Amino acid sequence: MDMNKSFEPKILAFLCNWCAYAGADLAGVSRLQYPSTIRSIRVMCSGRVDPVYIIDGLRSGFDSVFVSG
Amino acid sequence: MELVQYLLDLSGIGRDRVQLRWVSAAEGQLFAKYVTEVSNITQEMGPFDPEEFSLPLAAVEQTLNSPRIRWLLGLTKQLTEQVNVYNEKLKDEDFKRLLQQATEEEYHKALIMAALEEGPRSVRQMAEKTGLSVYTVSLRLNELERCNRAGLKEYSGSTPIFVEMA
Amino acid sequence: MESIEGDAGNFQVTVRERPRYVDMDKCIACGICAERCPRKVKDEYNQGLAKRKAIYVQYAQAVPLKYVIDADHCIYFKKKGRCKACEKYCPSDAIDFTQKEKIHKIEVGSVILSTGFKSFDPRGYDVYGYGSLPNVITSMEFERILSASGPFQGHLQRPSDNEPPRKIAWLQCVGSRDLHTGCHEYCSGVCCMYAIKEAVIAREHAGGDLDTAIFFMDMRTHGKEFDRYYDRARDEAGVRFIRSRVHSIERAGPGSDDLQITYVDDGGELKEEIFNLVVLSTGLEISEEVRKLAQDLGIDLDLHGFAETSCFTPVVTSRPGVFVCGAFAGPKDIPQSVMEASAASSACAVLLADSRNSLTQEKTYPPEDPIIYEEPRIGVFVCHCGINIAGVVDVPAVRDYAETLPNVVYVADNLFSCSQDTQGLIRDAVKENRLNRVVVAACTPRTHEPLFQETIRDGGLNPYLFEFANIRDQDAWVHQKEPEKATEKAKDLVRMSVVKAALLEPIEPLLLGNRHKALVIGGGAAGMIAALDLADQGFKTFIVEQKEKLGGYAKYVRKTWKGEDGRAFLADLKERVRGHERIEVLLDTKISHVSGFVGNFTTTVTTGSAEQELEHGVIILAVGAKSLKPDEYLYGQSDLVMRWHELEKLFEKEPERLEQAEAVAFIQCVGSREPERPYCSKFCCTSSLQQAIDFKTRKPGLDVYVLYRDIRTYGQREELYRKARELGVIFIRYSLNEKPVVEETRINGKDKLKITVKDHILGIPLELQVDYLDLATAIIARGDEELAKMLKVPLNEDGFFLEAHMKLRPVDFATDGIFVCGMAHYPKPLEESIVQAKAAAARAASVLIKESVEVEPTVSVIDQEKCIGCGLCEACCPFGAIELIKVSGQGYRAENIQALCKGCGICAAACPQKAIDMKHFRDHQILAMIEAGGEGR
């Protein structure tokens, strides 16, 4: 992995089913374009996200973790 | 989440590796904006190499799983909003300080344990491995010995060598 | 609809179905036909601002999502036998030019008319220049311009030159509150709110650099939270509100596309201002078509074409068994329409209670195959969604990739996975390949997960052995310019889903008992109506009222605004409640404790010193509200100052007082729409005007003054405003920072009141001498904090109960089995309380009719071995779904109340012992997904 401009971040996202996941769907319905960096996991509430998941995300090869509720 | 960010800073991984944003079901635009934002921040930071940070990662995870931290977190509300049996109430900033101090101690212990997992070590070797001062290692090791998580294995000359206890 | 024959309970309805020339069973809505169709037509849905083809779907969210041929424009129908492009290219052979009109005869017990409204057409109303000036548009057109699926993809631009406007004006009351021919004298009730919304959203789209101005007469933001929105639009978003009468709109100059608005302002001064775009806030009206339909069906209409109803029976038409809801029964907004819809369904349910369930069919599923417990055998189905996904993502590549993943034994790609035939294919594939887990990569689980769960159930699988990969809404649609990266993302998402699928476990449905009884808290009009609707459907209902008699606030309503006798109505209502065999009234009774959950509530009530427990399945909150006793305008100090119905009552008891009086005044918004209470009490304007008209009619010589901030006689109540002005009632507007001053005085030996108020046109203080002053004081909540806590339902900032969704679930709470109606929800007139009460009854009945209560089984599970009874989970659960129970010899252990659990997982994250896990979102399932997602670096 080199640090040059071609670096494509890979981001783990935890999205709350009722808020951010719905917001993300709406972004899709509205065809709003954004970077294809995130890989999301749907949870029923952002409160479900155990802090340990974040560490596991980093350990598994993600460059950062995005939690959105 | 604040605590995770604190730990990420402590471990040198950096708090920006986790990003928190609120988006409601009606805020598609905001979601797209945030993903762009978080992507840019990550791009700035560059790739994360889990190999390089394997020791801190293990220690952070252990800290987050430690009963002391889980308990403190769980009791946040009770400690800061209600009085304890001595009729005392913690101020938010006092609680924060307390939590950070506990987190730091637990993190250091976890680092030492992660170092010991790789094999028996002297205090100086542990300090080199973890990047902590010899003094800090001694203090935390003492606590680990008291709860039987680490112990003296043997002497190499006059240098004591410590080992992980089952 | 052609005709309705027969009587209530036994109608024969004749319906004419026009041919759509597309076979609904075959059409998969891929869109190829529309792509190939050579005929372009003005798109009605986009208000003519864009084009559609002669074969089309009306709008993207249409249900069912099937194409239709517009025979009026189709080349085949115009030039007999030509073109047929759609037929040639349709991949599923769905085009059928031979379809003929069909007549259906349907037997039903009741009919609901919900034909809606038509937007007023300002064409030919030359003051506004609509039709001749390209940048004068209607609010409906502006809605489409703002929409992401609209003609400009949500970019704010004006029609003449497609340039973004920098100044936009909205003109209110176009076609409404206007006595000109072709216009309507009623208020359309919704335009003030939508204009503010459009202005705020337009500013959001434009990024703040947009000037917005709303020209209005009275700002009518009378609904729940509406005034706060108005305040925010003015103070935070910077929308300008100009109280005025617009004189004309003209071209700003020769060759200019800008528009000059000439108007008379608040102070009577003639002014001009130039805008880039003008939006006409057009009102609501009933179309000729609907009027004719009503005539054919024998439904009485009022003067304006709305269905004639009584305030006491708001969804009942003149023809028994035929009900009405929505804008056909008068102009109204979404929440009120939703409530009326439920109310109409309640009216039908009461009428047809005897035949309930006589025509229902129960769906049966094959028994669950024991293969679900064997090694994972996963089937992956990747959806093209026509071109929606396949246009960006390389679907076959994703399918082939899925085949390489562990445990995957079957893969397929489908044009439309949700189509009926594909559902059949999935079901068969499950059976033939002995699949025990299914992954679908398609649109989004939020809309389609239930459908696929149903499909695999049909294939003999437990519905929870299903996992969704969102590759449309959160992939193909948002990375349209990066097909390769979108394909990579789709593969990652599919891999994550497959890994989770392998770890999925069957979850049994949670069926709980149901007590088919209702508890109504509050014995006012709303409570009694709700109780009657439920009891008439066969459900035992308790009414608990804390006062010693029934009636609530309704007893003050002498007449409705339509002139109907309120007291007679209330007397009759009480009579029916008391005489009903299934209603038990508990007066002088308070709620002391509530426990349980939907279907299984136990409520402890206290009557005097006696306690008893009531068991029931639902709760309807109808605790009402009260009116403010103000400490201004000499209220409580002078006998001449009264509030609400007190003056009316005095004149009724002692008519000589009215005889001797020379002048009376009303002050509106006393305690309402102030910083402390920033909401409108909604029916005070109507109530004061009713009294003003009554006094003025009885004694034409009497001077009647109404001191107001905005007159809010919304909807058809506007008639009262017009009538009051015709009768000579004098309206004087005051502003919040210059309130009227009331003093005691003596004139010719008689005690009087002197009111000083600044006239906004003359700009000088006026002095009024009146015999009596009546204050329209704020309607305030009763202070139900304790009750709210017991029921675990929220209150809003003003102390009114806060429903689950302001627009779409106006009588529900997030907590199942509890409903709200009447003034406990928000101040409202009697007729709206009745509607909401019937709506609450309908929603409650939908729970009570079920044999048992089925709850979502994706709940938390507590490992009692690991639990140490610390209670952190109980403290952090937002739904009260965890309680500590005593286990002998072990102290306390946490226990989950499954019916209350919403599966959020906060408890699992908080448990210091890691003793809690979430079904379907288990720790090891999520960890596996994380790990799988990170792979491939």
Side-chain angles (χ1 to χ4, degrees):
Chain A
M1 278 178 285
D2 55 300
M3 292 280 283
N4 66 25
K5 251 232 159 288
S6 70
F7 161 60
E8 278 284 338
K10 198 164 163 182
I11 302 167
L12 175 64
F14 288 99
L15 307 181
C16 158
N17 184 56
W18 311 106
C19 312
Y21 198 91
D25 278 353
L26 181 61
V29 173
S30 321
R31 304 294 195 283
L32 301 168
Q33 304 297 302
Y34 55 80
S36 57
T37 46
I38 61 162
R39 303 292 180 267
S40 55
I41 294 181
R42 182 168 68 120
V43 287
M44 281 298 131
C45 167
S46 50
R48 172 76 183 104
V49 182
D50 194 304
V52 171
Y53 296 167
I54 293 160
I55 305 307
D56 273 300
L58 292 176
R59 185 184 289 141
S60 301
F62 287 102
D63 299 305
S64 62
V65 181
F66 174 47
V67 181
S68 193
Chain B
M1 270 323 130
E2 220 175 289
L3 186 83
V4 179
Q5 291 183 320
Y6 175 74
L7 265 170
L8 290 177
D9 266 349
L10 203 61
S11 60
I13 294 170
R15 61 166 54 228
D16 285 344
R17 293 281 173 191
V18 58
Q19 298 285 334
L20 188 65
R21 300 282 191 286
W22 303 112
V23 174
S24 84
E27 296 173 323
Q29 264 174 325
L30 211 56
F31 182 82
K33 189 183 137 203
Y34 286 157
V35 174
T36 312
E37 211 172 279
V38 172
S39 298
N40 289 341
I41 293 171
T42 310
Q43 176 95 39
E44 288 279 295
M45 289 188 295
F48 178 76
D49 182 1
E51 292 297 312
E52 188 192 333
F53 288 95
S54 70
L55 197 72
L57 278 174
V60 170
E61 181 167 12
Q62 215 181 93
T63 310
L64 289 170
N65 276 329
S66 75
R68 184 176 176 201
I69 298 305
R70 288 189 83 93
W71 272 102
L72 267 175
L73 273 182
L75 288 170
T76 308
K77 254 198 151 156
Q78 266 144 286
L79 288 171
T80 54
E81 285 175 15
Q82 295 159 18
V83 291
N84 65 11
V85 283
Y86 305 110
N87 215 23
E88 296 164 336
K89 195 166 130 182
L90 272 172
K91 279 192 210 142
D92 281 346
E93 58 264 33
D94 289 342
F95 177 75
K96 202 174 153 188
R97 209 174 309 126
L98 178 94
L99 185 63
Q100 289 191 348
Q101 195 192 332
T103 307
E104 194 177 5
E105 287 172 14
E106 286 302 312
Y107 174 67
H108 291 163
K109 283 196 253 178
L111 266 181
I112 294 170
M113 288 308 294
L116 283 180
E117 229 168 76
E118 295 173 7
R121 284 209 159 80
S122 71
V123 169
R124 190 159 300 278
Q125 283 172 325
M126 278 187 263
E128 267 164 33
K129 182 80 192 164
T130 57
L132 300 173
S133 71
V134 171
Y135 175 69
T136 311
V137 173
S138 307
L139 275 182
R140 299 287 95 85
L141 189 62
N142 195 273
E143 287 162 24
L144 288 167
E145 277 183 283
R146 263 185 282 154
C147 54
N148 275 332
R149 290 173 65 197
L152 180 67
K153 185 178 180 245
E154 61 198 6
Y155 281 91
S156 160
S158 61
T159 314
I161 302 292
F162 294 87
V163 72
E164 175 189 24
M165 307 284 275
Chain C
M1 183 146 74
E2 295 279 275
S3 67
I4 305 177
E5 277 152 45
D7 301 307
N10 202 3
F11 289 119
Q12 197 178 44
V13 181
T14 310
V15 178
R16 184 159 50 94
E17 184 193 6
R18 282 197 295 258
R20 60 191 299 150
Y21 306 110
V22 173
D23 187 331
M24 298 259 274
D25 293 332
K26 289 182 183 166
C27 175
I28 52 171
C30 63
I32 293 172
C33 51
E35 209 174 284
R36 298 291 177 170
C37 174
R39 183 81 169 95
K40 281 188 181 172
V41 186
K42 261 194 178 182
D43 181 0
E44 306 87 346
Y45 180 66
N46 273 318
Q47 305 290 309
L49 296 168
K51 300 263 186 194
R52 62 162 170 84
K53 296 297 183 64
I55 184 163
Y56 69 113
V57 277
Q58 199 178 8
Y59 47 90
Q61 300 89 341
V63 177
L65 190 63
K66 306 282 175 190
Y67 278 74
V68 57
I69 291 177
D70 167 7
D72 291 341
H73 293 99
C74 172
I75 296 170
Y76 173 86
F77 289 102
K78 293 281 118 181
K79 297 176 182 161
K80 207 65 203 157
R82 297 273 189 85
C83 185
K84 287 188 168 187
C86 47
E87 192 182 50
K88 199 156 81 193
Y89 289 102
C90 177
S92 61
D93 201 18
I95 308 294
D96 178 5
F97 289 112
T98 65
Q99 278 187 1
K100 292 272 173 311
E101 199 172 271
K102 281 187 229 161
I103 300 290
H104 303 276
K105 298 237 183 235
I106 308 169
E107 300 208 327
V108 295
S110 63
V111 177
I112 297 175
L113 300 173
S114 54
T115 50
F117 67 92
K118 170 180 160 290
S119 183
F120 175 78
D121 183 1
R123 221 172 299 265
Y125 196 12
D126 50 355
V127 181
Y128 298 124
Y130 181 77
S132 58
L133 301 169
N135 291 327
V136 175
I137 61 174
T138 67
S139 47
M140 290 288 265
E141 287 168 334
F142 194 70
E143 282 287 333
R144 293 315 302 153
I145 289 178
L146 283 179
S147 170
S149 62
F152 309 133
Q153 289 79 47
H155 294 293
L156 186 56
Q157 57 192 67
R158 64 179 192 176
S160 73
D161 49 11
N162 291 346
E163 285 296 312
R166 280 161 289 108
K167 282 184 78 174
I168 309 181
W170 277 260
L171 307 192
Q172 297 309 103
C173 300
V174 174
S176 311
R177 301 183 67 191
D178 190 335
L179 298 175
H180 287 92
T181 326
C183 298
H184 305 292
E185 71 169 79
Y186 56 81
C187 157
S188 289
V190 299
C191 327
C192 284
M193 241 351 242
Y194 77 57
I196 301 177
K197 179 205 74 174
E198 287 183 351
V200 170
I201 295 180
R203 285 179 63 91
E204 282 171 9
H205 279 230
D209 192 28
L210 180 73
D211 179 76
T212 51
I214 298 180
F215 293 81
F216 72 104
M217 296 195 284
D218 293 282
M219 188 42 63
R220 293 189 169 170
T221 45
H222 44 267
K224 196 172 183 175
E225 302 290 335
F226 287 8
D227 257 323
R228 276 198 175 85
Y229 194 80
Y230 172 33
D231 290 344
R232 278 203 306 273
R234 186 188 55 228
D235 302 335
E236 290 167 30
V239 177
R240 291 189 290 141
F241 288 88
I242 301 171
R243 198 182 291 271
S244 58
R245 206 65 237 227
V246 168
H247 171 272
S248 63
I249 307 176
E250 292 155 317
R251 227 176 255 283
S256 171
D257 284 336
D258 292 342
L259 302 151
Q260 175 177 293
I261 296 184
T262 310
Y263 65 98
V264 182
D265 81 353
D266 214 6
E269 208 179 316
L270 197 67
K271 287 190 172 166
E272 290 164 356
E273 191 172 342
I274 291 173
F275 291 88
N276 306 123
L277 182 68
V278 171
V279 182
L280 304 179
S281 295
T282 50
L284 278 46
E285 65 180 18
I286 298 302
S287 69
E288 274 313 313
E289 210 184 339
V290 172
R291 284 177 198 239
K292 191 179 170 302
L293 175 74
Q295 199 181 3
D296 291 348
L297 301 182
I299 305 292
D300 289 349
L301 300 181
D302 71 8
L303 204 61
H304 313 294
F306 297 108
E308 187 95 74
T309 58
S310 147
C311 286
F312 304 136
T313 52
V315 294
V316 176
T317 70
S318 59
R319 183 164 176 187
V322 179
F323 303 99
V324 65
C325 63
F328 182 33
K332 60 181 60 74
D333 60 3
I334 295 169
Q336 195 60 31
S337 295
V338 173
M339 286 186 230
E340 270 188 15
S342 289
S345 79
S346 189
C348 292
V350 168
L351 175 68
L352 306 175
D354 289 342
S355 50
R356 186 169 62 221
N357 284 340
S358 57
L359 288 171
T360 48
Q361 284 178 333
E362 199 154 328
K363 184 164 183 192
T364 52
Y365 297 94
E368 279 177 20
D369 199 314
I371 57 161
I372 56 182
Y373 300 104
E374 292 169 11
E375 279 291 291
R377 292 176 60 80
I378 303 175
V380 180
F381 299 84
V382 188
C383 186
H384 289 248
C385 195
I387 54 167
N388 281 307
I389 294 171
V392 180
V393 170
D394 184 348
V395 171
V398 175
R399 179 205 57 202
D400 293 344
Y401 172 74
E403 199 164 17
T404 66
L405 295 168
N407 299 315
V408 174
V409 297
Y410 182 85
V411 293
D413 59 318
N414 314 103
L415 195 50
F416 281 97
S417 302
C418 55
S419 70
Q420 214 152 26
D421 50 329
T422 312
Q423 297 289 300
L425 291 175
I426 296 176
R427 195 181 52 228
D428 296 343
V430 167
K431 287 183 185 157
E432 283 160 23
N433 301 283
R434 293 182 55 78
L435 302 179
N436 57 15
R437 308 282 191 281
V438 171
V439 171
V440 170
C443 42
T444 167
R446 295 182 65 257
T447 55
H448 280 72
E449 191 172 55
L451 176 76
F452 292 114
Q453 286 186 318
E454 183 85 7
T455 306
I456 67 164
R457 252 184 113 177
D458 283 334
L461 291 185
N462 180 285
Y464 292 92
L465 297 171
F466 174 79
E467 189 60 25
F468 212 107
N470 184 328
I471 63 163
R472 189 188 72 182
D473 290 26
Q474 297 184 19
D475 189 17
W477 276 353
V478 291
H479 311 308
Q480 288 173 323
K481 293 187 188 85
E482 304 178 301
E484 277 165 30
K485 287 182 190 167
T487 305
E488 280 315 300
K489 181 171 175 179
K491 286 180 184 173
D492 284 354
L493 293 173
V494 167
R495 183 175 65 246
M496 289 162 80
S497 297
V498 165
V499 165
K500 182 174 177 190
L503 297 171
L504 289 173
E505 50 201 11
I507 303 175
E508 289 314 308
L510 268 179
L511 291 176
L512 303 163
N514 195 359
R515 297 167 181 158
H516 305 276
K517 293 177 193 171
L519 168 67
V520 176
I521 305 175
M528 287 192 281
I529 291 276
L532 277 169
D533 264 26
L534 287 172
D536 282 346
Q537 287 185 60
F539 304 113
K540 162 93 189 195
T541 304
F542 304 99
I543 298 181
V544 171
E545 167 60 51
Q546 62 175 6
K547 296 234 170 72
E548 62 295 335
K549 57 180 179 184
L550 294 168
Y553 210 85
K555 61 180 170 285
Y556 301 112
V557 180
R558 204 165 65 90
K559 275 184 178 169
T560 68
W561 72 268
K562 289 183 182 175
E564 299 139 320
D565 185 343
R567 287 168 191 165
F569 163 73
L570 194 64
D572 174 59
L573 195 60
K574 286 196 217 169
E575 188 70 33
R576 278 166 61 206
V577 165
R578 287 209 199 87
H580 206 295
E581 53 176 4
R582 281 185 289 270
I583 297 180
E584 189 178 330
V585 180
L586 299 160
L587 296 173
D588 222 347
T589 302
K590 279 188 173 147
I591 310 282
S592 44
H593 184 74
V594 183
S595 67
F597 43 84
V598 58
N600 300 275
F601 288 107
T602 303
T603 301
T604 313
V605 296
T606 322
T607 314
S609 59
E611 254 191 12
Q612 62 170 316
E613 277 190 353
L614 306 176
E615 295 196 326
H616 50 97
V618 294
I619 299 172
I620 293 181
L621 276 172
V623 294
K626 59 185 181 183
S627 59
L628 176 79
K629 285 185 180 156
D631 49 13
E632 55 184 340
Y633 303 128
L634 300 183
Y635 184 80
Q637 294 169 44
S638 164
D639 292 343
L640 307 179
V641 182
M642 279 157 266
R643 68 188 172 120
W644 279 99
H645 301 280
E646 288 170 357
L647 182 58
E648 184 178 48
K649 217 169 162 185
L650 180 75
F651 286 169
E652 193 183 18
K653 259 194 194 154
E654 301 169 43
E656 65 279 6
R657 296 250 202 177
L658 176 61
E659 278 315 303
Q660 289 153 9
E662 289 168 79
V664 296
F666 294 87
I667 299 182
Q668 302 302 110
C669 295
V670 179
S672 301
R673 301 181 65 202
E674 297 205 359
E676 198 189 330
R677 253 173 254 100
Y679 64 90
C680 166
S681 296
K682 204 173 187 184
F683 62 104
C684 344
C685 282
T686 307
S687 172
S688 294
L689 291 200
Q690 268 178 264
Q691 295 183 55
I693 290 168
D694 183 40
F695 302 157
K696 196 77 184 166
T697 315
R698 279 155 69 189
K699 189 180 176 186
L702 183 77
D703 283 336
V704 181
Y705 303 101
V706 177
L707 279 52
Y708 73 101
R709 287 171 56 198
D710 287 281
I711 289 291
R712 292 183 167 177
T713 44
Y714 59 96
Q716 294 132 301
R717 295 166 191 82
E718 181 70 5
E719 191 185 314
L720 298 178
Y721 191 19
R722 183 186 53 83
K723 198 166 169 193
R725 280 178 316 201
E726 273 173 15
L727 287 170
V729 173
I730 298 159
F731 288 86
I732 303 168
R733 197 171 66 75
Y734 71 91
S735 66
L736 185 58
N737 44 26
E738 283 178 299
K739 283 188 180 180
V741 177
V742 180
E743 293 158 289
E744 285 181 304
T745 183
R746 252 183 110 72
I747 293 164
N748 301 330
K750 237 180 121 184
D751 282 335
K752 292 220 176 198
L753 296 166
K754 185 176 90 176
I755 306 174
T756 314
V757 57
K758 190 169 155 187
D759 183 279
H760 59 277
I761 296 172
L762 303 173
I764 51 162
L766 288 178
E767 268 185 21
L768 316 170
Q769 267 128 24
V770 300
D771 299 272
Y772 303 101
L773 169 64
D774 194 67
L775 306 175
T777 67
I779 298 296
I780 56 174
R782 283 194 182 279
D784 306 300
E785 288 79 6
E786 215 176 306
L787 185 61
K789 233 180 204 168
M790 271 192 259
L791 296 166
K792 300 184 186 92
V793 295
L795 297 173
N796 75 357
E797 276 178 76
D798 306 316
F800 295 104
F801 284 95
L802 182 60
E803 61 274 32
H805 190 290
M806 290 272 195
K807 309 279 175 220
L808 303 177
R809 294 178 65 190
V811 301
D812 301 5
F813 288 106
T815 310
D816 292 333
I818 308 180
F819 308 94
V820 65
C821 62
M823 297 221 282
H825 162 265
Y826 189 70
K828 54 174 69 73
L830 182 60
E831 60 273 22
E832 289 178 14
S833 279
I834 293 173
V835 163
Q836 205 180 10
K838 292 178 86 72
R843 301 290 298 135
S846 73
V847 173
L848 295 178
I849 54 167
K850 285 185 193 139
E851 209 38 57
S852 52
V853 177
E854 185 168 355
V855 294
E856 190 62 43
T858 51
V859 295
S860 66
V861 270
I862 299 164
D863 184 340
Q864 301 269 330
E865 293 295 307
K866 286 189 188 166
C867 175
I868 54 167
C870 68
L872 289 185
C873 48
E874 186 191 30
C876 72
C877 176
F879 307 100
I882 294 186
E883 59 184 5
L884 288 182
I885 47 152
K886 204 159 187 162
V887 180
S888 68
Q890 296 182 25
Y892 288 93
R893 290 288 177 267
E895 201 171 78
N896 172 302
I897 308 165
Q898 293 177 319
L900 291 179
C901 180
K902 300 275 176 192
C904 71
I906 291 177
C907 54
C911 177
Q913 295 296 109
K914 296 209 165 192
I916 307 182
D917 210 350
M918 305 305 300
K919 281 190 186 169
H920 210 53
F921 292 89
R922 287 195 182 270
D923 224 33
H924 71 275
Q925 293 168 342
I926 294 179
L927 289 173
M929 279 183 98
I930 297 173
E931 222 162 276
E935 272 171 32
R937 285 303 291 262

